[in-house]
Amino acid sequence: MLELSSKMLRVLDGEAVFPPPLWIMRQAGRYLPEYIELRSRQKNFLSFCSHEESIIEATLQPLRRFELDAAILFSDIFILPHAMGYPLTFEERIGPVLRPLTSGLLKTLSLSGALERLPHIFQALKRLRQMLPETVALLGFCGAPWSLACYAFSGRPSADQAVARQASYTTPSLLQDFVTLMTEASVFYLHAQLEAGADAVQIFDTWAGILDEEGFARWCLTPTKEIVTQLRHKNPRARIIGFPKGCAHRLRTYLEVTGVDAIGMDWTVSAEIGKDLQKTAAIQGNLDPLRLVSGGKALREGVTRILESFGKGRFIFNLGHGIRPETPLAHVQDLLQLVREGGSFPR
Ligand code: CP3
């Protein structure tokens, strides 16, 4: 495990560092021409994600171009359910397409043997940790059970996740069984990632923000708390970042209930909320990815405001969600420079 040479890990371990460490959610991907080229060599996204050399190369690509403080394992949140037997494909221009969840399908899913089907992931992490400089933190990740369930019930990306929300009212025991299974699987998966060489892990809960209060407690807070508790039981030094998107007003509760070390904030989270969270944890975020697409004044003003609001405390600069494929590379370079120069933040 890395220690003081990594700015990112210093912040996760409780220090305020300025200028803050910086990485970008979905930093490997289609805004990089070299990613598109590499990806075109494999017939589909799942085979790409099963190929150790491709995983390593895709993980390193953004770091070859930009001086980022963290590398995130190239994979997807659906690789774990797929290894457990979930039938799914990735379709061009759609994304993940899953067989809609039924109790019959749930019975065919199993944790047994799943991690053994993912040697390329753990081998890639091990090699990446050896290849990366000590200043760069290596991140692993998983999808939160609720967000995985959203796609499992709908079968494909959806704007409001009506099918999964409806399922939470009409077939809660099916949803509960799936969430319980994925909670247990995530503990083993994240633990294995940390053992292989990841310095920290992030739990992506992209759809946490569409739940009502009761649903949020049951489907987001409880399973996430369980993952954090069990993972720390196996590895007391596990560094965990939670990213429940779209629930600004519930982040304080999320932090207190789950006990994550750092909390990812989407771009709707206010300076007031962020500063309050920063009193007890590291925060990460929260530039609107469209400010990065826009560049210029929109980018400069967004970065400056964020640095002014959060620069004095424990803070990791990031976008408020993944980088968009249409993002110009020059804007990413501008972002790095702005953050490294501290925006117009008076020092
Ligand atoms: O951050 C990184 O650079 C690591 C790689 C990474 C991917 N997906 C690669 C990917 C990570 C961390 C993810 C997480 C992920 N995947 C989430 C949570 C974060 C978020 O964005 O909300 C979710 C919900 C998914 C599911 C998923 N995978 C969708 C909805 C899609 C299609 C939409 C899209 O962006 O294309 C994917 C496919 C996917 N995952 C791609 C990449 C680079 C694009 C597919 C391709 O290159 O062919």
Side-chain angles (χ1 to χ4, degrees), residues 26-28 30 35 39 45 72-78 90 95-96 141 151 204 206 321:
R26 300 279 207 108
Q27 63 191 23
R30 286 161 301 178
Y35 170 79
R39 168 77 176 75
F45 187 66
I72 180 159
L73 169 76
F74 189 86
S75 186
D76 195 84
I77 59 170
F78 291 106
F90 282 84
F141 69 91
Y151 291 88
F204 284 93
T206 310
H321 197 199

Side-chain angles (χ1 to χ4, degrees), residues 139-211:
L139 308 180
F141 69 91
C142 72
W146 164 249
S147 287
L148 296 172
C150 283
Y151 291 88
F153 278 95
S154 303
R156 52 182 62 219
S158 143
D160 59 4
Q161 302 297 354
V163 182
R165 265 160 60 218
Q166 177 86 64
S168 77
Y169 305 122
T170 51
T171 53
S173 65
L174 176 59
L175 174 58
Q176 184 66 65
D177 290 348
F178 179 77
V179 164
T180 302
L181 177 65
M182 290 317 305
T183 299
E184 191 193 357
S186 302
V187 172
F188 284 95
Y189 187 46
L190 294 179
H191 178 59
Q193 292 184 29
L194 290 166
E195 291 284 293
D199 300 299
V201 291
Q202 175 156 318
I203 303 170
F204 284 93
D205 212 346
T206 310
W207 293 101
I210 57 164
L211 291 159

Side-chain angles (χ1 to χ4, degrees), residues 3-313:
E3 299 300 337
L4 296 177
S5 53
S6 157
K7 287 204 317 185
M8 170 95 185
L9 299 185
R10 278 163 58 197
V11 173
L12 288 177
D13 289 350
E15 227 183 289
V17 177
F18 193 87
L22 161 76
W23 68 284
I24 299 172
M25 282 192 276
R26 300 279 207 108
Q27 63 191 23
R30 286 161 301 178
Y31 73 107
L32 292 175
E34 60 271 30
Y35 170 79
I36 294 174
E37 198 283 319
L38 184 71
R39 168 77 176 75
S40 70
R41 294 191 218 162
Q42 300 287 331
K43 66 177 189 314
N44 59 52
F45 187 66
L46 275 176
S47 49
F48 185 76
C49 288
S50 327
H51 188 243
E52 188 179 317
E53 301 303 325
S54 301
I55 297 173
I56 292 176
E57 181 54 24
T59 303
L60 294 175
Q61 280 178 342
L63 285 111
R64 295 216 173 90
R65 253 182 212 271
F66 310 115
E67 258 185 70
L68 299 156
D69 293 288
I72 180 159
L73 169 76
F74 189 86
S75 186
D76 195 84
I77 59 170
F78 291 106
I79 296 304
L80 176 61
H82 185 248
M84 294 164 70
Y86 209 113
L88 63 95
T89 55
F90 282 84
E91 307 287 335
E92 296 296 329
R93 283 182 293 277
I94 301 177
V97 175
L98 287 77
R99 188 183 300 168
L101 188 68
T102 57
S103 53
L105 170 53
L106 184 68
K107 285 195 195 83
T108 67
L109 304 181
S110 163
L111 181 51
S112 143
L115 299 191
E116 289 74 10
R117 272 174 227 119
L118 300 171
H120 43 279
I121 300 254
F122 307 114
Q123 194 56 28
L125 283 167
K126 188 173 163 202
R127 287 174 57 198
L128 280 162
R129 190 52 280 169
Q130 289 162 355
M131 292 162 91
L132 289 165
E134 287 194 356
T135 48
V136 175
L138 178 59
L139 308 180
F141 69 91
C142 72
W146 164 249
S147 287
L148 296 172
C150 283
Y151 291 88
F153 278 95
S154 303
R156 52 182 62 219
S158 143
D160 59 4
Q161 302 297 354
V163 182
R165 265 160 60 218
Q166 177 86 64
S168 77
Y169 305 122
T170 51
T171 53
S173 65
L174 176 59
L175 174 58
Q176 184 66 65
D177 290 348
F178 179 77
V179 164
T180 302
L181 177 65
M182 290 317 305
T183 299
E184 191 193 357
S186 302
V187 172
F188 284 95
Y189 187 46
L190 294 179
H191 178 59
Q193 292 184 29
L194 290 166
E195 291 284 293
D199 300 299
V201 291
Q202 175 156 318
I203 303 170
F204 284 93
D205 212 346
T206 310
W207 293 101
I210 57 164
L211 291 159
D212 67 12
E213 192 166 11
E214 198 189 343
F216 184 70
R218 181 166 179 190
W219 308 118
C220 172
L221 294 178
T222 305
T224 308
K225 179 195 165 130
E226 194 64 21
I227 293 172
V228 172
T229 309
Q230 289 189 34
L231 187 56
R232 292 243 173 83
H233 185 70
K234 289 178 182 289
N235 180 344
R237 298 186 62 203
R239 300 179 180 101
I240 308 168
I241 308 167
F243 176 51
K245 184 172 175 283
C247 36
H249 63 296
R250 291 181 176 142
L251 291 181
R252 169 56 58 197
T253 309
Y254 179 95
L255 190 60
E256 276 165 16
V257 172
T258 66
V260 292
D261 299 285
I263 194 152
M265 310 181 299
D266 66 65
W267 65 90
T268 69
V269 178
S270 66
E272 189 188 349
I273 291 177
K275 281 188 210 167
D276 171 66
L277 296 166
Q278 230 175 358
K279 289 179 194 153
T280 46
I283 57 171
Q284 174 177 283
N286 69 339
L287 188 78
D288 184 345
L290 284 171
R291 283 193 187 265
L292 189 56
V293 172
S294 308
K297 187 165 174 269
L299 176 60
R300 215 166 41 245
E301 287 179 356
V303 171
T304 304
R305 186 197 55 77
I306 288 172
L307 291 175
E308 278 172 1
S309 305
F310 307 135
K312 290 195 179 102

